[in-house]
Amino acid sequence: MIKIQIPATSANLGAGFDALGLALNFYNYVEMEENDTLEILSADDTTIPTDENNLVYTSAKTLYDICGKSLKGLKIIQENNIPMTRGLGSSSACIVGGLVGANILMGNPLSLDDIVNLSAEIEGHPDNTAPALLGGIVTAVFDGQAVHWVKQEVHTALKFVVIIPNFELSTEKARSSLPKEVSHRDAVYNLSRASLFSASLLTGKYENLRTAVDDKLHQPYRLPLIPHADEVFKIAYTLGAYAMYVSGAGPSLMAIVDEENNFFAGKMRFALDQRNLKLWQVKELSIDNHGTILV
């Protein structure tokens, strides 16, 4: 049986809607082996589908079908640390885990680029699947047939502190809140800031990040779906965060913080408790530069 480690991801990074994403040191694990029947187990308390609707299984089965290899069944054991429907790439982790696991079991018939393309096709966009596979910060464009991507390893003096509400927000609901058309001015506004984000992060001009994560394409429409989000943004900036943005489709909120801001997470925890948000989680993370690996 093989065991795969897949990182959580944070997509959009403010203005980089459906194009930017990064991997975080917060992991799901998938154990997998070929079997005479389908057997799916949860290694923790997370409730998961245990039939052919399981996303790890359907992704693995897709790869077997593409390679023309019959599959009697699989034994899959999932450890799901990444919370589901919270904007941290839980579905992408399942897709990537299934594809990478199946590829290894078949002797790696597909290249890394093949898996990047297939995972984006299954998910519908590459901003979570690509960094989950590759690690680091990834800029990716899916043209409907292939993903064109650039990975940049990030070795910075930064922490990523995620604030995870105690409620779910489905990607479908978050996307349905978006307008069908945007103005030319708003498109230019986002394009300039998305470019500024990558350049500033990689060159250490962190004072630019607050401007770089400002967005007019998705966050103004998603923030009203996340009660207390505006208040949490204000608290984070008061506590010295470089930037705040909605992680993926939400509802998780991400703060980018200097590593020397030692007490940011503790102060955020205290502030949430004072506002009767004791069930919200605060996790201090960093960038994972490795992506999905065999462990």
Side-chain angles (χ1 to χ4, degrees), residues 190-208:
N190 267 57
L191 179 62
S192 60
R193 282 157 177 77
S195 301
L196 181 67
F197 182 92
S198 295
S200 298
L201 187 67
L202 294 167
T203 59
K205 289 186 68 66
Y206 304 140
E207 67 274 15
N208 289 339

Side-chain angles (χ1 to χ4, degrees), residues 55 73 86 91-92 147 165 168 183 186 197 200 224 226 242:
L55 189 54
R86 295 296 204 282
S91 63
S92 291
V147 177
E168 299 180 352
S183 70
D186 287 350
F197 182 92
S200 298
I226 309 171
Y242 284 124

Side-chain angles (χ1 to χ4, degrees), residues 29-141:
Y29 297 89
V30 172
E31 297 178 68
M32 186 185 297
E33 66 180 0
E34 292 186 353
N35 201 28
D36 289 336
T37 60
L38 177 58
E39 182 181 2
I40 302 175
L41 304 171
S42 176
D44 49 40
D45 295 331
T46 305
T47 301
I48 58 173
T50 56
D51 57 14
E52 293 184 353
N53 294 312
N54 180 282
L55 189 54
V56 175
Y57 171 76
T58 58
S59 300
K61 180 66 163 57
T62 297
L63 197 55
Y64 271 81
D65 291 343
I66 288 172
C67 294
K69 184 172 180 181
S70 62
L71 178 64
K72 287 184 179 180
L74 289 171
K75 181 175 182 180
I76 298 170
I77 304 173
Q78 293 179 235
E79 181 181 331
N80 295 286
N81 297 306
I82 305 169
M84 296 182 181
T85 58
R86 295 296 204 282
L88 293 170
S90 61
S91 63
S92 291
C94 290
I95 292 167
V96 169
L99 292 177
V100 171
N103 199 47
I104 293 171
L105 290 177
M106 288 188 289
N108 296 304
L110 269 65
S111 69
L112 180 61
D113 272 327
D114 291 333
I115 298 177
V116 170
N117 292 335
L118 184 55
S119 63
E121 186 176 343
I122 294 172
E123 178 79 337
H125 41 87
D127 52 342
N128 284 114
T129 54
L133 270 164
L134 304 166
I137 179 170
V138 178
T139 305
V141 174

Side-chain angles (χ1 to χ4, degrees), residues 19 24 89 156 257 260:
L24 296 161
T156 66
V257 182
E260 294 185 0

Side-chain angles (χ1 to χ4, degrees), residues 235 239 266-277:
I235 294 167
L239 296 177
K267 290 178 179 178
M268 177 60 74
R269 174 74 275 160
F270 178 78
L272 294 177
D273 290 347
Q274 292 298 106
R275 289 158 177 79
N276 200 30
L277 300 176

Side-chain angles (χ1 to χ4, degrees), residues 222-294:
R222 288 173 168 172
L223 281 170
L225 303 177
I226 309 171
H228 307 289
D230 286 333
E231 189 176 6
V232 172
F233 270 49
K234 291 175 184 176
I235 294 167
Y237 283 124
T238 299
L239 296 177
Y242 284 124
M244 277 292 295
Y245 65 89
V246 177
S247 182
S252 292
L253 310 173
M254 188 71 72
I256 305 177
V257 182
D258 194 281
E259 67 175 2
E260 294 185 0
N261 191 342
N262 294 318
F263 305 109
F264 179 90
K267 290 178 179 178
M268 177 60 74
R269 174 74 275 160
F270 178 78
L272 294 177
D273 290 347
Q274 292 298 106
R275 289 158 177 79
N276 200 30
L277 300 176
K278 293 181 170 62
L279 296 180
W280 288 38
Q281 298 179 55
V282 179
K283 295 186 72 68
E284 186 175 291
L285 304 169
S286 58
I287 290 181
D288 172 283
N289 282 311
H290 304 291
T292 296
I293 59 172
L294 192 63

